[in-house]
Amino acid sequence: MRIGVIGTGRIGTIHANTLSRHREVGSLILTDVDPARAQELAFRLGETAAPGVDEIFRWGVDAVVITTATSAHAELIGRAARSGLPVFCEKPIALDLPGTLSAIAEVETAGTILQMGFQRRFDAGYTGAREAVRSGRLGRLHTVRALTSDQAPPAASWLPLSGGLYRDTLIHDFDVLRWVTGHEVVDVYAAGSDAGPSMFREAGDVDTGAALLRLDDGTLATATATRLNGAGYDVRMELAGELDQIVVGLDDRTPIASTEPTGPPAADKPWAGFLERFGPAYEAELSAFVEVVLGRRANPCDGREALQALRIAEACEVSRRDRRPVALAEIPGWTESAYR
């Protein structure tokens, strides 16, 4: 199998390394807006660098992995679909609903594959939580608490391109909330704070956000995020039911300290970032993509799944802006006419 990797930044480099080692992948063609960066990575891996995206499609590949800037995702997904190629794409499909719907339409019209990069679905902790919920171990689930906290903020130049805290960061919590519980979000109430560095205000973003989400079975969930968690990178999900309570992301590297006399000590080596925390999950999702391309398993996260997570993020943005509860029914979704 020959795979084209479009984008060789941080996550593109991780994915190229994973695919280059995969026993079912014979070769890679790498390209990037910075040709020298692609060339350097290709040299290190013993793979081929292409001068641009056109060559990826012209030279012939069996599948495409997209890890470019978000603004290019939808166009590249559509181009791959029109070429009949399966695609793995980092989230999101696009930063708006029309772009997302258009890309999904192209994939479904072409009858090709689009697998989205929501890596938490491949993390052992979240997988265990899904199994616990689905097996009935927790009894009736009544409360979910999810959080994502970055140790350090991103570059100021990147913030206006990110889509904002809800679309960029909390979208992972929204996706995995649906995946773990098996239920849909009915309505949200969200708030944000830009009291930190001025770069967030200048970008029209917030550095800290929170949302209260009501699921269709009555379960209440909260999701919080911040770009300024100096203790370390912290991603957790607590699920409480009438019979039991569990937590994802609590281990000897969780950057949290107890004030109780007999509480556990602070982590000696807290998680520094998402690439380290979710390293095995990133490998697993790419292995799953190879299996999907080979027809050995069903697509674990298609475009419509990504659309649902984006709709929740959009509802949170509306709620934050208008300072009111927002029903998901207010946010445009998928209709058959969207791709006719």
Side-chain angles (χ1 to χ4, degrees):
M1 181 188 302
R2 192 183 204 190
I3 296 180
V5 179
I6 306 175
T8 56
R10 273 193 312 176
I11 195 64
T13 297
I14 294 290
H15 289 341
N17 272 277
T18 296
L19 292 168
S20 187
R21 298 192 307 267
H22 199 288
R23 65 182 182 277
E24 299 284 2
V25 178
S27 63
L28 303 177
I29 303 177
L30 312 178
T31 194
D32 193 89
V33 290
D34 179 354
R37 185 165 65 178
Q39 184 67 57
E40 180 184 355
L41 180 59
F43 179 77
R44 284 207 315 269
L45 298 179
E47 303 290 355
T48 302
V53 172
D54 289 345
E55 285 76 13
I56 291 282
F57 292 97
R58 190 160 59 240
W59 292 356
V61 293
D62 300 301
V64 173
V65 171
I66 300 170
T67 59
T68 61
T70 298
S71 58
H73 287 185
E75 179 185 352
L76 291 171
I77 289 170
R79 184 168 183 179
R82 293 189 297 274
S83 299
L85 293 172
V87 175
F88 175 93
C89 184
E90 279 300 322
K91 65 81 189 168
I93 293 174
L95 290 178
D96 60 11
L97 289 166
T100 299
L101 290 167
S102 176
I104 295 172
E106 292 226 56
V107 171
E108 298 203 352
T109 298
T112 53
I113 294 165
L114 170 60
Q115 180 182 327
M116 295 303 300
F118 283 103
Q119 87 284 354
R120 295 188 194 182
R121 294 181 177 221
F122 297 88
D123 176 72
Y126 285 104
T127 299
R130 175 183 164 98
E131 292 170 354
V133 171
R134 304 301 180 90
S135 71
R137 170 185 158 188
L138 307 186
R140 184 186 68 85
L141 188 66
H142 53 73
T143 307
V144 181
R145 294 176 285 269
L147 67 88
T148 296
S149 300
D150 292 329
Q151 183 176 29
S157 60
W158 183 80
L159 286 174
L161 309 176
S162 71
L165 188 66
Y166 292 100
R167 297 186 191 93
D168 177 57
T169 299
L170 277 166
I171 196 168
H172 281 286
D173 297 274
F174 301 151
D175 175 71
V176 85
L177 173 65
R178 296 180 57 249
W179 186 73
V180 167
T181 66
H183 289 280
E184 297 293 342
V185 173
V186 174
D187 50 46
V188 308
Y189 186 85
S193 170
D194 61 4
S198 61
M199 64 181 184
F200 292 98
R201 293 185 292 279
E202 292 164 1
D205 197 5
V206 294
D207 58 71
T208 303
L212 172 65
L213 309 102
R214 185 169 61 92
L215 306 190
D216 57 17
D217 67 340
T219 299
L220 295 180
T222 58
T224 63
T226 184
R227 305 282 199 186
L228 303 165
N229 197 58
Y233 181 70
D234 192 6
V235 172
R236 280 177 281 141
M237 173 182 270
E238 300 173 5
L239 300 106
E242 293 182 344
L243 300 180
D244 202 357
Q245 182 171 233
I246 57 175
V247 59
V248 178
L250 183 61
D251 58 22
D252 60 1
R253 299 191 65 182
T254 304
I256 191 167
S258 174
T259 59
E260 299 296 333
T262 58
D268 289 331
K269 188 182 178 183
W271 297 109
F274 62 91
L275 292 177
E276 182 185 31
R277 164 66 178 84
F278 289 110
Y282 281 118
E283 290 200 16
E285 69 177 356
L286 264 294
S287 292
F289 177 61
V290 171
E291 294 292 305
V292 170
V293 173
L294 292 172
R296 296 175 182 170
R297 66 173 292 176
N299 190 344
C301 186
D302 63 18
R304 294 197 185 205
E305 295 287 294
L307 170 64
Q308 290 302 96
L310 179 62
R311 291 181 66 235
I312 299 168
E314 290 287 332
C316 286
E317 285 289 2
V318 173
S319 178
R320 179 177 73 87
R321 182 192 67 211
D322 296 351
R323 298 188 177 187
R324 66 177 178 87
V326 174
L328 262 291
E330 297 181 42
I331 307 302
W334 188 264
T335 63
E336 292 301 313
S337 61
Y339 60 94
R340 283 179 181 167

